[in-house]
């Protein structure tokens, strides 16, 4: 920086323009992606059992319909994160929408089980790009009240779950699972329609050294928001100082490394790269990364497991006698009670959103997550013993409320803990790790309950909640009110 030269950072530009018309468009666009992702995931509660009944599949084959989506998401989350950190956020989420929408629509015409499995895997690959949209949205939002805006962004997921439950209730009884798959793919095509109106993240452009392009985006944002940018020149991401906000060990190490090795700074701050995963495991980030992967794994297992439990516990109570033996074989693919129960428990995410919005900035990310996880244990513990359908729905409503609130905060915390240079890669890889939880949850929520081992299934869920809560307490940073960092130290 030249002496006397007036400069400003991307953060200062975002704060100066506030949350205006441009950010509202970014929120709506990325929110549509969130709705699309939620609808594709929620339909797993309905499609599996309908396909099982139509094609006379085993319980293992039914659970694979769900698990294969998470396998695809595992591949996609890592891949799209690397793509977006190297080629831009826009490139990443454009291809995710194309893959999700195309494979989702084609899966409605699957002639056999194998074809359906392959196409649902491709849907999972596309859905794995969800964190790219989260990173894109986050990088347009000013630091003040960032947590609240991220909760509002997460509200679109809840809208998607309720929309899918309503759609299934309306479509499945009369038209079947193929129509549900086809209609659920439409939001992804809406993303492609409005894609030409989107702009690249100015923070990403600045970190890439494309300062002129970043200024052009900021000027467009300021013009739409009817405000003026700060005076002076935008400071390139290669020259931006790391903000020393907390005295945590990781931040102190980052600042120390930056001071002791300034010559290596520009090369180490390069965004993306083939060694992105190694950067996540660098001494300055390894603790955060390992804990984040553990918590993502636990939350994915718990959230999607609770979604499946809503239908499977009802089914299990029908086919399992008091001694745990199978008494009758019943299907409920078109059972109105199933759609009602999923609809009710999906609404548990609405108070979860309100609760997370109320506490995320006031008590911090870490305490918000851990408290919700401990309360969810209390909600689900009574289900170790089979309950009536109405009581089961009430307890699952409470557990869904708490897990969804904690998951929302986790999705706010994850992109905040990483610097811009590896943000999409870091969140994408954490999301890919989470897919192992999604792969495993059908084996517990479907396999164990079908085998009349409800107590064992619930105990596994409680264990996952406790492990996740403990892992959260060991996170090294509280990011509430902390500006986003941009560089990776040596």
């Amino acid at each position: 920086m030249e002496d006397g030269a007036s400069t400003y950072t991307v953060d200062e530009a975002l704060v100066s323009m506030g949350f205006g018309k441009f950010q509202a468009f970014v929120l709506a666009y990325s929110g549509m992606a969130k709705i699309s992702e939620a609808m594709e995931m929620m339909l797993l509660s309905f499609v599996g059992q309908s396909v099982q009944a139509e094609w006379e599949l085993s319980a293992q084959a039914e659970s694979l319909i769900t698990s294969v989506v998470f396998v695809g998401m595992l591949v996609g989350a890592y891949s799209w994160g690397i793509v977006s950190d190297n080629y831009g956020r826009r490139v990443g989420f454009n291809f995710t929408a194309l893959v999700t929408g195309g494979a989702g629509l084609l899966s409605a015409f699957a002639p056999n089980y194998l074809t359906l499995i392959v196409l649902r895997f491709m849907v999972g690959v596309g859905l794995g790009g969800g964190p790219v949209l989260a990173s894109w949205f986050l990088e347009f939002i000013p630091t003040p009240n960032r947590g609240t805006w991220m909760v509002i962004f997460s509200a679109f997921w809840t809208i998607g779950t309720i929309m899918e439950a309503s759609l299934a209730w309306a479509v499945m009884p009369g038209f079947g699972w193929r129509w549900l798959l086809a209609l659920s793919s439409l939001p992804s095509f809406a993303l492609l329609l409005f894609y030409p109106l989107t702009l690249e993240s100015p923070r990403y452009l600045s970190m890439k050294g494309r300062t002129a392009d970043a200024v052009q985006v900021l000027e467009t944002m300021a013009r739409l928001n009817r405000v003026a940018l700060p005076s002076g020149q935008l400071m390139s991401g290669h020259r931006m100082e790391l903000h020393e906000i907390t005295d945590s060990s990781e931040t102190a190490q980052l600042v120390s490394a930056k001071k002791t090795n300034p010559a290596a700074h520009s090369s180490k701050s390069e965004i993306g790269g083939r060694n992105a995963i190694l950067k996540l495991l660098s001494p300055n980030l390894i603790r955060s990364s390992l804990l984040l992967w553990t918590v993502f794994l636990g939350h994915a297992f718990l959230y999607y497991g609770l979604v499946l439990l809503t239908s499977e516990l009802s089914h299990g109570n029908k086919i399992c006698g008091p001694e745990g033996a199978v008494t009758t074989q019943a299907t409920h693919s078109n059972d109105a009670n199933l759609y009602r129960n999923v609809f009710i428990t999906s609404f548990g995410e609405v108070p979860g959103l309100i609760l997370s919005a109320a506490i995320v900035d006031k008590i911090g990310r870490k305490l918000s997550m851990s408290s919700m996880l401990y309360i969810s244990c209390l909600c689900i513990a009574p289900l170790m013993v089979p309950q009536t359908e109405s009581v089961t729905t009430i307890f699952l409503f409470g557990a869904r409320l708490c897990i969804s609130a904690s998951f929302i905060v986790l999705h706010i915390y994850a992109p905040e803990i990483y610097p811009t240079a590896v943000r999409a890669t870091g969140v994408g890889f954490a999301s890919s790790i989470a897919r192992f939880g999604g792969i495993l949850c059908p084996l517990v929520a479907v396999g164990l309950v079908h085998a009349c081992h409800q107590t064992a299934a619930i105990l596994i869920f409680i264990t996952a909640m406790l492990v996740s809560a403990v892992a959260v307490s060991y996170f090294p940073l509280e990011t509430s009110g902390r500006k986003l960092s941009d560089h990776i130290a040596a």
Side-chain angles (χ1 to χ4, degrees):
M1 183 192 310
E2 297 178 2
D3 293 339
S6 178
T7 62
Y8 64 91
T9 66
V10 172
D11 272 319
E12 291 168 346
L14 293 178
V15 170
S16 70
M17 71 178 67
F19 192 100
K21 185 183 297 184
F22 181 86
Q23 282 85 355
F25 167 74
V26 174
L27 174 63
Y29 186 86
S30 54
M32 179 62 68
K34 205 72 173 173
I35 289 175
S36 172
E37 183 180 355
M39 293 181 69
E40 290 288 353
M41 296 308 303
M42 278 299 298
L43 64 80
L44 299 174
S45 299
F46 312 104
V47 170
Q49 294 175 17
S50 297
V51 175
Q52 180 192 34
E54 180 174 329
W55 289 344
E56 298 181 353
L57 304 175
S58 64
Q60 290 76 20
E62 178 197 345
S63 66
L64 185 60
I65 297 174
T66 298
S67 295
V68 74
V69 176
F70 289 101
V71 174
M73 293 177 77
L74 188 156
V75 175
Y78 171 71
S79 302
W80 298 125
I82 294 292
V83 168
S84 66
D85 273 344
N86 281 278
Y87 302 104
R89 311 313 195 208
R90 292 181 76 247
V91 173
F93 62 68
N94 180 50
F95 280 102
T96 62
L98 183 62
V99 173
T100 302
L105 181 60
L106 289 175
S107 62
F109 302 95
N112 52 54
Y113 175 74
L114 180 59
T115 304
L116 180 64
I117 290 295
V118 172
L119 289 171
R120 296 315 294 176
F121 169 81
M122 293 305 301
V123 169
V125 171
L127 291 175
V132 176
L133 265 298
S135 295
W136 182 69
F137 173 70
L138 180 72
E139 292 174 1
F140 282 104
I141 305 303
T143 300
N145 300 319
R146 187 175 64 223
T148 301
W149 282 114
M150 287 300 289
V151 171
I152 294 173
F153 167 67
S154 300
F156 286 92
W157 175 279
T158 300
I159 294 172
T161 62
I162 295 173
M163 286 177 59
E164 187 64 25
S166 304
L167 185 64
W169 201 345
V171 171
M172 287 286 287
F175 300 96
W177 60 271
R178 293 183 184 275
W179 274 96
L180 184 65
L181 288 176
L183 294 174
S184 298
S185 68
L186 295 181
S188 294
F189 291 106
L191 292 175
L192 296 174
L193 182 65
F194 291 100
Y195 172 76
L197 300 178
T198 62
L199 296 176
E200 186 56 87
S201 160
R203 183 182 295 273
Y204 170 86
L205 293 171
S206 179
M207 287 303 300
K208 276 289 193 180
R210 297 165 56 185
T211 307
D213 292 335
V215 170
Q216 186 175 3
V217 172
L218 290 172
E219 289 175 344
T220 301
M221 295 170 61
R223 185 169 60 254
L224 290 175
N225 287 358
R226 297 182 179 179
V227 297
L229 288 175
S231 60
Q233 297 181 335
L234 176 65
M235 188 186 300
S236 170
H238 292 290
R239 296 155 55 198
M240 292 171 66
E241 301 261 343
L242 179 67
H243 296 286
E244 188 173 3
I245 302 301
T246 68
D247 59 354
S248 70
S249 60
E250 288 200 24
T251 304
Q253 291 173 11
L254 283 169
V255 175
S256 175
K258 181 179 182 294
K259 290 179 179 179
T260 57
N261 191 16
H265 177 64
S266 63
S267 63
K268 292 294 183 180
S269 64
E270 183 181 357
I271 192 167
R274 291 176 294 178
N275 297 322
I277 298 303
L278 295 179
K279 294 176 184 178
L280 301 180
L281 296 175
S282 65
N284 300 313
L285 294 176
I286 186 170
R287 179 180 173 187
S288 296
S289 293
L290 293 178
L291 288 171
L292 196 67
W293 297 346
T294 299
V295 178
F296 258 93
L297 177 68
H299 275 74
F301 176 84
L302 294 167
Y303 179 85
Y304 296 114
L306 289 175
V307 171
L308 293 174
L309 277 179
T310 304
S311 58
E312 295 303 330
L313 285 182
S314 176
H315 190 44
N317 290 337
K318 289 180 181 180
I319 66 174
C320 296
E323 302 300 323
V326 176
T327 57
T328 61
Q329 181 64 39
T331 61
H332 63 143
S333 59
N334 291 327
D335 187 353
N337 289 340
L338 166 63
Y339 308 123
R340 182 199 64 196
N341 293 342
V342 174
F343 188 80
I344 291 173
T345 54
S346 294
F347 261 101
E349 297 190 19
V350 176
L353 275 166
I354 298 172
L355 180 61
S356 58
I359 66 178
V360 66
D361 282 325
K362 291 184 178 180
I363 70 174
R365 281 45 161 164
K366 293 171 61 176
L367 185 56
S368 297
M369 286 186 281
S370 59
S371 59
M372 290 297 99
L373 286 164
Y374 286 127
I375 295 173
S376 65
C377 288
L378 300 178
C379 292
I380 201 174
L383 298 182
M384 287 190 291
V385 178
Q387 307 287 342
T388 63
E389 185 173 343
S390 59
V391 171
T392 298
T393 301
I394 291 171
F395 282 126
L396 287 176
F397 179 93
R400 182 86 171 265
L401 185 159
C402 294
I403 291 300
S404 63
S406 184
F407 216 168
I408 288 168
V409 178
L410 178 61
H411 279 92
I412 296 170
Y413 183 81
E416 290 179 334
I417 203 172
Y418 285 120
T420 302
V422 292
R423 181 167 296 122
T425 299
V427 178
F429 194 78
S431 181
S432 70
I433 294 293
R435 304 316 162 191
F436 285 106
I439 294 168
L440 293 174
C441 74
L443 303 178
V444 177
V446 178
L448 286 181
V449 174
H450 272 227
C452 303
H453 298 307
Q454 178 172 327
T455 300
I458 299 301
L459 280 174
I460 292 174
F461 279 102
I462 291 176
T463 301
M465 291 171 183
L466 293 175
V467 170
S468 297
V470 172
V472 166
S473 66
Y474 281 96
F475 276 130
L477 294 176
E478 172 54 63
T479 59
S480 180
R482 176 176 180 264
K483 293 183 180 179
L484 297 178
S485 61
D486 289 300
H487 299 295
I488 305 173

